[in-house]
Amino acid sequence: MADVARLAGVSSQTVSRVSNGFPGVNEQTRQQVLAAMKELGYRPNSAARALKRGEFRTIGVITFTLSTTGNMRTLEAIATSAAQEGYAVTLLPVAVPTQDEVRGAFSRLGELAVDAAIVIMEVHLLDAARLSLPPHITVVVADSDAGDRYTVVDTDQTGGTRDAVRHLLGLGHRTVWHLAGPEESFAAQRRADAWRAALTEEGRVPPPVVRGDWSADSGYRAGLHLAGQEDCTAVFAANDQMALGLLRALHERGLRVPEDISVIGFDDIPESASFLPPLTTVHQDFAEVGRLCVEGVLRQVRESGTERGTTLVPTRLVVRHSTAAPRPRGSGATT
């Protein structure tokens, strides 16, 4: 810093003000200092600045898995939003979803010097009924049921599911079968509950749930089963990957989509418009979920306070070509 000050012909205090972005520095002077920094290859010591200010400009992110579309796209959105705020992201995957593992992850984040944390908690804990985080932490939880104790950001799973079911019933289908996600998933649970409630409210009897594990392979296996159900004319899949496997199974069994069976997914992944046929699905705004997570946690950092409650990000139904009015099974189908 002293070398930069000598080259620019200013005081070390002025160099400090420029490097920290403080106002009140003459523009010509600021440009002189920046030019000197560039010539000397000077970069501020971020660790020293963090100790002086008491902030590290880093957000820790704890997640249980990186294998699902929802988690990966939420993580991407968090990293992008954090960068726009001048923050870095430290990722800490947790191998086993237990209370002890979560507490251990927060301890490790403390050692890594972060200002706050975001927990992407998509599954139930194996050893506890409810999430309990260390006290006096700054945290936002994504995709959880902890809204009465922490700040939670989630997609409106219920609203998206109701739109999907009502769309199919509105086309004339007598009922809607459900290809659900894994039982331990909060999102899968909420979508299954909303599917059942939507059918019941319309006076329809919900068929037995067919369960997958979010993968296209599980959707394919479920599709082979559903192809044999004569009264199945419409299926709501809990995510687009399972819907993709379902489409393949129905095709192999000589059933056309949507002529014989309508299929609707959830997520609106970029590839869903290129499925055959293009998939009707529920769009999730992962970018908004990530932005609200970062906004919520930084608001707590800056205001030195805590928040509780859930913010739901709206969904929207994207109608493409995989849904249509029902026709008698086998009318014009090829094998």
Side-chain angles (χ1 to χ4, degrees), residues 256-262 324-328 331:
R256 298 172 301 165
V257 176
E259 291 85 354
D260 298 311
I261 298 181
S262 287
R327 296 199 296 179
S331 60

Side-chain angles (χ1 to χ4, degrees), residues 118-260:
I118 296 172
V119 183
I120 305 176
M121 187 178 172
E122 199 267 334
V123 296
H124 293 274
L125 294 176
L126 299 178
D127 61 347
R130 307 189 78 182
L131 176 68
S132 179
L133 300 179
H136 311 303
I137 63 168
T138 303
V139 65
V140 166
V141 183
D143 200 1
S144 174
D145 64 348
D148 60 336
R149 289 161 294 141
Y150 307 104
T151 301
V152 175
V153 178
D154 195 7
T155 296
D156 185 5
Q157 313 284 352
T158 298
T161 297
R162 288 179 182 275
D163 288 344
V165 172
R166 288 170 178 171
H167 170 69
L168 292 167
L169 295 180
L171 290 171
H173 296 275
R174 295 175 60 85
T175 192
V176 178
W177 289 67
H178 183 39
L179 172 50
E183 290 183 282
E184 64 271 15
S185 165
F186 286 115
Q189 175 186 322
R190 285 192 287 273
R191 292 171 200 176
D193 289 346
W195 158 79
R196 189 176 291 106
L199 287 178
T200 302
E201 288 168 5
E202 296 294 329
R204 316 298 172 92
V205 178
V209 171
V210 180
R211 198 167 292 278
D213 60 10
W214 297 131
S215 70
D217 283 344
S218 70
Y220 174 76
R221 293 189 295 271
L224 296 177
H225 168 73
L226 290 168
Q229 308 301 311
E230 289 296 326
D231 60 342
C232 177
T233 66
V235 180
F236 165 51
N239 77 334
D240 291 350
Q241 281 94 344
M242 290 194 298
L244 175 61
L246 172 63
L247 291 175
R248 175 192 164 198
L250 297 178
H251 174 74
E252 289 184 1
R253 288 294 184 264
L255 296 171
R256 298 172 301 165
V257 176
E259 291 85 354
D260 298 311

